[in-house]
Amino acid sequence: MQLPKGYEAHVVPRSSTYKNFGIIQTNHMGVIDETYAGPNDWWYMPVYALRDTEIHFNDRIAQFRIVEHQPKVVFEESRLDAPDRGGIGSTGTK
């Protein structure tokens, strides 16, 4: 399958995949762009099994969504003047 120019696909597990099969996606989310379209460029979802399981032909374990590429973002450097809250993981400790 080849995506239209300017689009990408996000490959993720279905919400029931862990419950039904005991597997989790190892790369969190696969991003496939329109240049990934050669004869050996297969879409797949790498997984890690947390228990013994069987996946049969036509079992639905993954899904994908086709979206436009994110527009180019230009950053301007500036100083943040808000008070320091302690960084990631500090909310709710007091």
Side-chain angles (χ1 to χ4, degrees):
M1 181 161 76
Q2 184 169 7
L3 298 169
K5 184 171 174 49
Y7 285 83
E8 63 191 37
H10 298 170
V11 180
V12 296
R14 292 170 54 92
S15 61
S16 61
T17 296
Y18 176 74
K19 179 184 73 142
N20 292 337
F21 298 97
I23 60 175
I24 57 174
Q25 186 172 4
T26 58
N27 63 341
H28 178 68
M29 179 181 81
V31 178
I32 299 169
D33 68 26
E34 74 272 15
T35 65
Y36 193 75
N40 293 308
D41 293 335
W42 289 80
W43 293 26
Y44 66 95
M45 182 179 77
V47 299
Y48 181 76
L50 297 168
R51 61 177 166 83
D52 289 343
T53 191
E54 291 184 13
I55 300 170
H56 300 102
F57 188 78
N58 284 334
D59 281 346
R60 299 184 305 168
I61 62 169
Q63 58 192 334
F64 66 90
R65 187 160 306 255
I66 298 173
V67 296
E68 286 186 86
H69 289 307
Q70 177 177 317
K72 185 176 179 178
V73 177
V74 178
F75 292 96
E76 290 182 16
E77 189 173 337
S78 65
R79 181 164 176 78
L80 301 175
D81 293 324
D84 189 343
R85 294 189 47 202
I88 294 175
S90 63
T91 303
T93 59
K94 295 181 183 178

